[in-house]
Amino acid sequence: GQLPLRGPELVIVANMLKIDVRDLIRALGHDDEAPARMAITHRLIDDGTLEELPAEDQEKLVTQRPEGLINGTAALIGTSALQPRYRRGEIVFSSQDGSTDPADYIGIDCIVTLADGRQLLALVQQGSQPGRVSLTIAATQELIIDAPTTAAAPIIWHRAAMR
């Protein structure tokens, strides 16, 4: 059957239930609403920044699309700076299927777009006032209080790259 929730909502419900999002997706069932495979279009580098891969690399790097992900990004972890949570060579999938408001993803790892246009992998946390968020940058553990953000896409899945 068709999933009643999209990527970001799946993450929130799975976190509330304290279960793996993959288990929730399996329990709900799904229709193939998106192609089974998708291009890996980005990589995360040493400072945790998301960097777009050259078009010729994107054509060669294809991976299995996670269940429940309709609109999203696949990014290759290209650094050891994100260990132990993420390992070099893993793929992370972020979802653009729901809200882009960072305040909707408190306690969730996201690809966050800063006001200056940079995109970083960070844990979104409550800011000093309602509607504001603070970020812990995954690669450096730097805390940015009341970060100037414009969007967030939650990480809904990560796995080892298929070789």
Side-chain angles (χ1 to χ4, degrees):
Q2 183 172 350
L3 281 173
L5 304 169
R6 298 275 184 216
E9 292 88 6
L10 288 168
V11 172
I12 292 167
V13 170
N15 284 342
M16 287 174 24
L17 296 173
K18 295 182 175 27
I19 63 171
D20 190 289
V21 72
R22 293 171 286 207
D23 294 333
L24 178 61
I25 290 168
R26 282 187 210 99
L28 294 172
H30 72 93
D31 286 336
D32 292 326
E33 299 177 31
R37 299 184 64 72
M38 64 187 292
I40 300 170
T41 56
H42 292 78
R43 72 175 165 197
L44 285 152
I45 59 175
D46 287 339
D47 65 356
T49 302
L50 190 69
E51 175 180 89
E52 188 167 7
L53 292 171
E56 59 272 11
D57 290 341
Q58 292 181 31
E59 292 172 10
K60 295 180 226 169
L61 297 173
V62 177
T63 188
Q64 187 74 29
R65 179 183 298 271
E67 296 177 45
L69 179 64
I70 306 303
N71 298 302
T73 300
L76 183 66
I77 303 293
T79 179
S80 297
L82 301 171
Q83 288 187 10
R85 187 159 177 85
Y86 303 102
R87 289 182 164 64
R88 180 187 291 273
E90 284 185 328
I91 302 167
V92 294
F93 297 88
S94 61
S95 174
Q96 287 106 22
D97 287 331
S99 170
T100 59
D101 183 353
D104 289 340
Y105 303 114
I106 302 299
I108 297 173
D109 284 344
C110 293
I111 300 295
V112 180
T113 304
L114 300 177
D116 64 9
R118 288 182 300 147
Q119 292 184 298
L120 299 168
L121 177 59
L123 174 65
V124 179
Q125 298 170 317
Q126 183 63 51
S128 67
Q129 297 176 19
R132 292 189 178 178
V133 297
S134 295
L135 304 174
T136 299
I137 307 306
T140 63
Q141 297 304 303
E142 173 189 2
L143 176 63
I144 303 174
I145 297 172
D146 294 337
T149 60
T150 60
I155 300 298
I156 64 163
W157 203 297
H158 78 277
R159 65 167 170 246
M162 294 180 196
R163 302 203 193 295

